[in-house]
Amino acid sequence: MNSLPTDPAPPPGSTAAEAKPANHIYHEPDHAQILEVMRQPVLSVDDQGIIQYLNTAAEHYLGLPDTPTTGRTLCEVLAPLVDTEEPLENLIAKFLDGNEPTHVHLRLSEASHPILEISSVPFIDADGRHQGRIVTFNLDRLDATVETGGQREHRDGLTGLLNRMGLEQQLDTLIHDATSSTRTHAFLMMDMDQFKLINDLSGHRAGDVLLKQIGEHLEVCVHEGDTVARLGGDEFGILLRNVEANEAASVGRRLLSSIQGIQFTWDGRIFPLSASIGIVPITERTRQAKLAMSHADTALYAAKEAGRNRLHLYTPSDEAIVRSNREMEWAEHINQALNQNMFRLAAQPIKALRSTDTGDHYEVLIRMQQGDELVAPGAFLPAAERFGLMDKIDRWVVTTFVDYLERYPQKAEQLTQASLNLSGTSLAEEGFLKFLIEQISRPHVQPEKLCFEVTETAAITNITHARLFIDEIHAKGCRFSLDDFGSGMSSFGYLRQLPVDFLKIDGVFVRDLDSDPVHRAMVKAINEVSHAMGKQTIAEFVVSEQIMQILEEMGVDYAQGYFISEPKLLEHAR
């Protein structure tokens, strides 16, 4: 559960002993701004429980964006949403009483099992005066364990469906049945496409309502005796009994079609829906529930990779499954390399074609050490992107390179410019910019010698955020480069909006420049337009002297490729 900072730093001149006690929140001038951008619903009430402030997330979560809320009591706002045996007024009074943090669990009236956790802490101003309480809503609903016919069932708190634990128990039962008989079954794992968009645009309450609707819809669509479960987030599991693989695929296609037919509306906005499904047959060869769920997850990922709104049937020899399993293995290697410092930095020189730069100018690249072998990033970066490890890799690269500059000040002095790659994940990650600024502000680092690269695709995916990021980097003296330029459909249209210093022309157009007149024309056009906009150009994948001569004749500023030099480990690079 997210929480507000409960122990801010003491003011200058005070000591840690003078700081106020923990478990209280202190008012700072910028807290309102912080609260407003938080995804967690937060509100403040006075000692009588009257709402003084609530952030946007709380407005959406409580379904009150168009209703005046401040001045109303917390009890009044919650009354239409909850169903309690004890009078709600009594519960809220106890919840807001005292000088210690409090928690209460309330059963929502909209479904059979959802439990909402609400927490509060005293709100103390800078002068030590009690100003009411800060109230937060825990978005992770509590699962319920209920007794049904003498058996314990594990239920999801939001939808009332079985949760992951409950489904695994039933999956174990079906696996035992399949191994002891001739019957076959199937497990479907379903994930809503673009669900995060609904949460981000309309708030978590909208997302919760949608998840309940989808759960109810799935229960109607399957046969009696089949099982629907919510596995977590926007992921659902479905157990189909006594079906062959082709029948399970037919059911999956029917589910996808029916979900696509739903129009979800919230606050006047209509959201088109779709989903992706991975299917695993349950046969006499199926051994473990967790393994079957892992295979279903792999099949689900293959369905999403194929374009979403589709299904994928797991087979052990499936090329997509083999590739996905390989990526899972690489993810383990990546974590191991991060923990054991088995990554290495390499440098590939960038040659000036229109100037007489004498210092070192290179791109910093990453390699993974496996025994005596150095593994190129093309082998492991797809897995890093899939499993959310790119920000960790980017942080390792930046930190390690800055360490290198501090350890070898002479190398830092010889440096003209070093280019470091950043992923789209890091570009969008909230804390990465702060981390990056801290690193480039370290001793012996000259920010004007650093250039950060992102691909054109990553930059235009969130162009507003990318521009803000670039502006912040420029303000610190660093430069910025747009990698793989020309691969997008609207490259020049976006270029005006991105204040980059360099364009790296996509190597797919450069490597056959001497034999493909269309690619030659494209490189020429990119170079001319870039210069007209005041940007310099770098051509990648220069593989021959003839190609480099053509680039020089065109007026391209820099060249990079194996003809000039292969990447070398940083400690061996010039």
Side-chain angles (χ1 to χ4, degrees), residues 310-372:
R310 59 192 67 205
L311 58 82
H312 193 100
L313 181 65
Y314 175 87
T315 57
S317 60
D318 190 320
E319 181 180 338
I321 299 298
V322 171
R323 182 175 65 250
S324 184
N325 287 337
R326 192 179 303 122
E327 287 182 354
M328 282 191 275
E329 292 175 3
W330 275 118
E332 294 179 12
H333 292 317
I334 291 169
N335 282 316
Q336 185 179 24
L338 287 167
N339 293 331
Q340 300 179 9
N341 200 30
M342 295 303 293
F343 281 121
R344 298 288 180 266
L345 289 184
Q348 185 174 33
I350 298 175
K351 179 179 176 60
L353 301 180
R354 301 180 66 197
S355 67
T356 56
D357 289 349
T358 57
D360 296 341
H361 186 177
Y362 50 77
E363 179 181 358
V364 178
L365 303 168
I366 190 170
R367 300 289 185 265
M368 182 188 290
Q369 186 85 49
Q370 286 198 326
D372 296 330

Side-chain angles (χ1 to χ4, degrees), residues 303-491:
K304 283 186 173 292
E305 281 287 283
R308 303 178 188 270
N309 192 34
R310 59 192 67 205
L311 58 82
H312 193 100
L313 181 65
Y314 175 87
T315 57
S317 60
D318 190 320
E319 181 180 338
I321 299 298
V322 171
R323 182 175 65 250
S324 184
N325 287 337
R326 192 179 303 122
E327 287 182 354
M328 282 191 275
E329 292 175 3
W330 275 118
E332 294 179 12
H333 292 317
I334 291 169
N335 282 316
Q336 185 179 24
L338 287 167
N339 293 331
Q340 300 179 9
N341 200 30
M342 295 303 293
F343 281 121
R344 298 288 180 266
L345 289 184
Q348 185 174 33
I350 298 175
K351 179 179 176 60
L353 301 180
R354 301 180 66 197
S355 67
T356 56
D357 289 349
T358 57
D360 296 341
H361 186 177
Y362 50 77
E363 179 181 358
V364 178
L365 303 168
I366 190 170
R367 300 289 185 265
M368 182 188 290
Q369 186 85 49
Q370 286 198 326
D372 296 330
E373 181 185 1
L374 286 175
V375 182
F380 58 83
L381 287 189
E385 291 172 351
R386 174 185 172 186
F387 291 99
L389 297 171
M390 282 306 304
D391 61 325
K392 292 183 179 180
I393 290 177
D394 287 349
R395 286 171 185 261
W396 184 91
V397 169
V398 172
T399 303
T400 304
F401 185 67
V402 170
D403 288 345
Y404 168 81
L405 295 179
E406 289 193 337
R407 193 163 57 250
Y408 301 106
Q410 185 178 358
K411 294 278 190 182
E413 196 59 37
Q414 292 174 353
L415 182 64
T416 298
Q417 182 172 286
S419 294
L420 290 84
N421 293 282
L422 301 179
S423 65
T425 304
S426 295
L427 200 66
E429 201 258 302
E430 187 175 344
F432 187 81
L433 180 59
K434 179 182 177 183
F435 154 80
L436 191 59
I437 291 173
E438 289 173 351
Q439 292 298 311
I440 64 179
S441 301
R442 285 166 55 181
H444 302 293
V445 177
Q446 298 171 271
E448 66 275 8
K449 293 186 175 185
L450 299 181
C451 179
F452 294 97
E453 293 186 15
V454 296
T455 64
E456 175 191 355
T457 303
I460 66 177
T461 297
N462 191 341
I463 195 164
T464 301
H465 190 89
R467 175 157 192 145
L468 292 172
F469 192 100
I470 295 170
D471 286 343
E472 290 284 348
I473 292 299
H474 274 161
K476 298 300 178 182
C478 301
R479 293 195 271 187
F480 214 86
S481 178
L482 206 57
D483 200 6
D484 295 341
F485 187 80
S487 57
M489 296 296 291
S490 306
S491 299

Side-chain angles (χ1 to χ4, degrees), residues 186-197:
F187 171 49
L188 282 62
M189 185 177 286
M190 190 191 86
D191 185 88
M192 298 300 297
D193 297 332
Q194 306 299 334
F195 176 77
K196 184 177 182 294
L197 182 65

